[in-house]
Amino acid sequence: MFTGLIRHRGHVSATTTTATGLRLTLSVPVAFGKAGRGDSIAVNGTCLTAVEDARMVGDRQVILFDAIPETLSLSTLGFLVQGDTVHVESSARVGDPVHGHVVQGHVDGIAVVREIDTSGGGWRVRLEVPAPLAVYLAPKGSVALDGVSLTVAGITGNLLEAALIPTTLAETELGKWSVGRRVNIECDAVAKQIVRYLMHFSAGAAHPSAASALHAGR
């Protein structure tokens, strides 16, 4: 698991199509910590496995990952190109403080930036999320966008709103977003489990109206 607190960013050195999907080569700072074969690392919020021990190139380390079609279909990894900057986060260890929220690295889909409001000195972004995911979002709940733990400022239909503080803008790539940007979204794991139970296993879910209400976000 991860916490959604981004301390390091990496650069895409290369992307190569393979027989099983995509080989992703990232260059990350030494301060990220030595990455070994089999380590789980979140890349823009997507949990990937290092395929071999990282190797040093100059003052940075290079890490290789493989992304399979399932991962590519639900995330933005397939759109990455050489030179792109990505968020990287190593997996949390037992005893680590959770400054964000529990992030699994299991991206649920792709959201699209529809509006950015910087009036009044603030920075609020509105994103269109896949309609089936809206039921898992609630005001003041948690969501991970490109791996960054954020609080839901509002949800209207399938439009998600988030308010970003200056620290987040400075320490992540979110301040460089523009309208039309595609973003990885992972809904809160606890919310997904609760909603699934209510929809499929609770007594009320036996009634179509109950399931319909949940799907509609009411």
Side-chain angles (χ1 to χ4, degrees):
M1 59 162 270
F2 308 91
T3 69
L5 184 66
I6 304 301
R7 298 188 183 278
H8 302 285
R9 283 172 272 188
H11 302 299
V12 177
S13 299
T15 60
T16 307
T17 301
T18 67
T20 58
L22 181 74
R23 169 63 59 89
L24 181 64
T25 305
L26 292 187
S27 168
V28 303
V30 173
F32 177 74
K34 182 68 173 179
R37 182 177 184 272
D39 285 356
S40 293
I41 297 172
V43 178
N44 274 355
T46 307
C47 181
L48 298 176
T49 301
V51 301
E52 60 183 46
D53 291 344
R55 66 180 188 275
M56 293 300 301
V57 177
D59 60 351
R60 296 175 69 85
Q61 60 177 325
V62 174
I63 312 175
L64 303 180
F65 304 94
D66 286 328
I68 61 175
E70 171 74 7
T71 302
L72 296 174
S73 69
L74 292 173
S75 73
T76 62
L77 294 184
F79 301 116
L80 292 175
V81 297
Q82 184 178 12
D84 281 348
T85 301
V86 294
H87 301 138
V88 290
E89 182 186 358
S90 56
S91 56
R93 297 171 296 181
V94 175
D96 283 349
V98 181
H99 294 292
H101 72 282
V102 174
V103 177
Q104 296 180 302
H106 302 162
V107 172
D108 293 304
I110 298 174
V112 180
V113 176
R114 293 305 185 197
E115 183 181 352
I116 297 175
D117 183 359
T118 59
S119 61
W123 210 97
R124 299 177 76 90
V125 59
R126 296 180 182 88
L127 306 97
E128 181 181 354
V129 306
L133 300 183
V135 70
Y136 305 119
L137 302 170
K140 307 308 178 186
S142 296
V143 67
L145 297 177
D146 271 356
V148 181
S149 174
L150 296 173
T151 299
V152 177
I155 180 75
T156 303
N158 64 327
L159 288 179
L160 162 68
E161 183 171 341
L164 307 184
I165 63 174
T167 299
T168 300
L169 296 174
E171 299 296 327
T172 72
E173 293 294 292
L174 274 58
K176 299 177 183 178
W177 283 357
S178 58
V179 173
R181 169 81 178 231
R182 290 171 289 203
V183 178
N184 291 326
I185 179 172
E186 180 188 331
C187 301
D188 181 60
V190 176
K192 288 189 286 188
Q193 294 299 323
I194 292 173
V195 171
R196 177 169 174 79
Y197 176 82
L198 291 174
M199 290 174 62
H200 298 284
F201 301 108
S202 69
H207 302 285
S209 59
S212 298
L214 283 168
H215 276 298
R218 295 195 293 271

